[in-house]
Amino acid sequence: MPIEGRDVLRRAITGQWRHVTAGSLLAAGHQAGEALVPVVIGLVIDEAISSGDAGALARWIAVLALVFAGLSFSYRFGSRAAERASEQAAHELRVELTGRVLDPRGGAEAGRLPGELVSVATQDARRVGAAAVALAAGLAALTGLVVGGVMLLRVSVPLGLLVLLGIPPLLLLAHLLGKPLERRSGAEQERAAHASGVAADLIAGLRVLKGIGAESAAVGRYRRTSRESLTATVRAAGAQAWHDGGMLTLTGVFIAVVALVGGRLATQGDISVGELVTAVGLAQFLLTPLSVLSWANGEFAQGRASAARIASVLASPPAVTGGGDALPRPVAGRIRLSGVRHGALRGLSLHAAPGELLGVVTADPAVATSLLRVLGRDADPESGTAELDGVPLTALDPAEIRHAVVVAEHDADLFEGSLLGNVTAAAVPEAAEPAMAAAAADEVADALPYGADTVLTERGRSLSGGQRQRVALARALAASAPVLVLHDPTTAVDAATEARIAAGIREARDGKTTIMVATSPALLAVTDRVMFLDGGTSVAEGTHAELVHGNETYRATVLA
Amino acid sequence: MSTTDERRPGKRRAGGPDTGEPGQAQGREPEAAHPGTREAEDRELLPVATAAQVRAAVRGLARPHRAAAAGGFAVLVAATAIGLLTAPVLGHVIDLVHQGRPASAITAPVTWLAVIALTQGVLTASGVSLIARLGEGMLATLRERFVERALRLPLERVELAGSGDLTSRVTNDVSLITNTARDAMPALARALLTLALTLVGMAILDWRFLLVALLAVPFQIHTVRWYTRRAVPLYAAQRVAVGEQQQQLLGTVGGASTVRAFRLTGEHVGLVETRSRAAVELALRGIRLMTRFYSRLNLAEFVGLSAVLVMGFLLVRGGDVSIGTASAAALYFHSLFTPINIVLGLADDLQAATAGFARLVGVAGVTGREAEADRVPVAGQALRTDQTPGSDQGPPVVARPAAPEAPAIRVSGVEYSYRPGHPVLRGVDLDIAPGQRVALVGASGAGKTTLAKLIAGIHRPGSGSITVGGTRLPGADGDTSRSGAGGDPEDPELPGTGGSAAGPVVALVTQEVHVFTGPLADDLRLARPEATDEDVRAALEKVGALAWAQALPDGLLTVVGESGHRLTTAQAQQLALARLVLADPPAVVLDEATAEAGSAGARVLEAAAAAAIEGRTALVVAHRLTQAATADRIVVLDSGKVAEVGTHDELVRAGGRYAELWEAWSDTRPA
């Protein structure tokens, strides 16, 4: 059953029903308390100040104290409950989304940039959570409206009707006034975000700018963007000011009308002086719950839009379906592809014997990527089969396959944490040292202030490209999987180190199957056998030396 | 008037750090620090301005607009004062009723109420828009100056601080100040005015009303002190936690395929959960603090309101004031709830904005003192314009000389160390003839990148000298003769330090790729703003990128970069080379500019690099020996010293270090 936006929203709120209910009830109590304050002021004027009755004064001040205690208490705990519901719901969505993105069957990233997914897990999750607060606030505002309305009708039916029927058109007018403003402020926010984006972008590229001396051009570009943003902002701020001024006038005139009608009623003796004060106070008060209602409505609309985005991520179809079998143990590590068509692969057949170090050479990066995706079961071939120890990969659970087959992409990410922690992410601690030596990552550690315990920040971007590659390779080797697929593991590594790494890989993978997709002669020289692919299918096979001497295209590809 | 509900949604929108700009979620990746040389613990953050410097900077920004600011403020005062007439007029109505006047007597004061409302609306709107125009203008000036300063910071200084420091100032601090100035300041100004004038109004009704109203003040002062003491560190911790959660999500989601490949799903979901939980807990603590804050303010409201009511009772009984006046006083005080809460609630926003402002002004100070001492166009090189510092406002118009002469580069006896006692370069001598292409080869850690940066002028040699075209680059003796162009850090009116308006003599292109967001052609024009479409196409053609660039959805106008069309690493690096072609420097250092493309892309890039450096004096740090083999000369660096120099054939024949490397590289026999 596909997940839809409203399911996400409903689940977020019902999942927190206790907090949402408590929040709504208490916030309603708070609204009622706020509505009572002007009523009590009116009563003090009527019963105590007009009559000069000190006892009545003391009584009504005590009532006022109770009202304040009640509204203060309900605000405090009502807000907390509602906010807890909101934060909790957002948190749960965030964790659920992360789980979906990282699911072994994949598929959630298709067509989405990482930044987009992160924004769904933070901004959108927060907005859906905020719908819980909006719900509580909206219910409370309704309560305030009802309480205030009843009070007003009790003072005087015509006055009450005047206020209750007068407020909706007033708010409608405000809404109409605000319409063009909304459009302008949207445009303004876009421009402002753009200006701040340009600044951050230029700073992020600071080294590049400095390298070619383009600082002045960059300053000029930022200044232009900033001025454009300023023009939009000033226009929007002016519109906002006139909107606010208009609202001030409208509410002022409204209060004047209430005072006129109320005053006339009072002079005729229909209502008391205190009741007149109450009516004016309530007329002012009632504007608030109504505007809260329209705010809550807006929040809900945003929450719905965010919930739809979350639902589309949660419901994204997995990249590979079917196959839940466990792996026959022990894994020998025989890989066989026959007639595989996927992406750039055009009927590729390939075989790696248990314990073999097989080189795969292709001039087309798309072929390499497609091959890696099939071997890691990130995708299933459209036709043909890929087998591990004679079992088709499509019959196996993807998570199971990755126990036996580790695919190390050349642009694999490192994670925040110590260098050692990265290397042992999927390995026993003892595996770290030999793996780091084999990948020459021990030299990387030596160059860092705390050696292998140094914390890598910014996803390892604090290291140079070559250092990063060596740490990633050490991680792949440390995992000691029965089958390891390496893709261009040393492109950013200098020639001397690369030779050392080639020997290290050979030694570390002794007796285990390794498929190395690369074009570096230093790496290919240590392989048992090389398959040369062209146009998505195998065109030649032999040792590196045989191919270099016997195949002109091969020589051009690896030694160019 | 309602109090808490009116401010609560607003507080929520403006307050929590979780409401961060959507743009920040886009996963900006601050650039790599200097490879492997330093980590967070020995970073030296950029300075923060002192309170006096901040005040001076604010004065400097406001000075040109003093008259307009005074005018806008006066209009706002008038608007507020007129608005406050509402309560006494209502009180008058009440008195009229109380005196049993006929209904028609009400009409006149009620008409006044309408007139007051209209005047107040018009005046408020004009005042606020005047002040907003001013404030926005000042903000724009501030951020432009800051970005200019930031862009002109010496790179060495930025690396010392870690690029994250500068990035967070440019994004977080600028938007914090903008939001505060845009939303908080006008609200605060109006609330303060209302507050002050209402108190005056109460005093006019009867001074004793004012006296009792002030009973609330000690409660309020105490509450605000109590709150800011707790709120500032708590919100700071909350911002950190939200940042960490964001980082974790970016790392985890960005590396999703790696997470799956190594079966780390459970672990990473756990990490996200922990970080998210921590952020949620801190957010809830913030909410608890805020609700306690407003609860305490309720107490102050109650004390003040009952005191005013009791005073009204006493004064009416004593015959000192009318019931209408007492009612007006009570209404006055009740209408103060909202402005008081706005003022007090904004206290911590203001504090945070002031701290952010100090960080921006602090950067301005650095530029003042250390301005542009590094990337200096070499004097005596008659290739760049006679532009004077400060004349580069707006797009610089640079008279580009026809094909500047490629200079000779001479490095003699250069030593350098990042940390005392750990020399990276130990007496390097190197000569590059004009127009020659020299390849620098050696193991990681041999000092290749460091030498490259020294020649490009990013670092200054510890000892020894580097001359480019006969002119010596600034050396260890702190040759800061140009830094005087900076100016007083306390004065935001600093002239823009012109610096190298037309770019350095020795350009540097590294393996770090950055594609600037915007149309592709605009990215390239950063290298030469006045370049024609023809120039741009020619540069792309030269590096073999024209075909794919024209095939983009909107051709050269396609928006690329972070929020646009994503280019591959190889394409991004080709753009970097195309920029180099447009910038057209006489000498260039390429530091593994072809490294991160993967093996297939590397070949395309090597061809592009060869085309881009044609006709220039070039030092190429090469990790692929094929790139070295075609150079005019090869320099082998080993442990900070030059081990061998010669052509490819000479070095292979010599059978030394390079020959060994070449053997390993080209060896076709199985090991």
Side-chain angles (χ1 to χ4, degrees), chain B residues 54-78:
Chain B
V54 168
R55 278 194 300 275
V58 172
R59 272 200 304 278
L61 279 171
R63 203 175 299 135
H65 311 289
R66 248 185 322 213
F73 192 72
V75 174
L76 270 187
V77 170

Side-chain angles (χ1 to χ4, degrees), chain B residues 266-282:
Chain B
E267 189 187 326
H268 274 260
V269 171
L271 282 171
V272 168
E273 179 155 20
T274 311
R275 293 267 165 102
S276 166
R277 172 64 60 198
V280 164
E281 285 308 321
L282 280 168

Side-chain angles (χ1 to χ4, degrees), chain A residues 30-31 34 83 91 94 101 109 126 201 207 210-211 221 223 226 295 459 461 491 494 519 545, chain B residues 3-5 12-13 18 29 31-32 144 148 153 260 263 276 444 508 512 517 522 599 623 668:
Chain A
H30 169 239
Q31 277 290 335
E34 295 277 8
E83 295 287 350
H91 169 77
R94 206 170 289 139
V101 171
E109 305 115 291
R126 188 177 56 76
D201 188 46
R207 270 165 248 240
K210 293 258 177 197
R221 174 171 299 181
R223 188 168 286 140
S226 167
W295 168 81
R459 283 198 272 160
R461 307 280 148 153
T491 45
D494 64 272
T519 55
Chain B
T3 55
T4 37
D5 260 290
R12 191 177 159 72
R13 276 193 293 267
D18 199 28
E29 288 155 10
E31 323 122 60
E144 283 161 27
E148 172 163 7
L153 274 180
R260 278 195 288 272
R263 307 182 315 278
S276 166
S444 301
L508 172 68
E512 176 189 330
T517 302
D522 284 4
S599 49
H623 68 286
T668 55

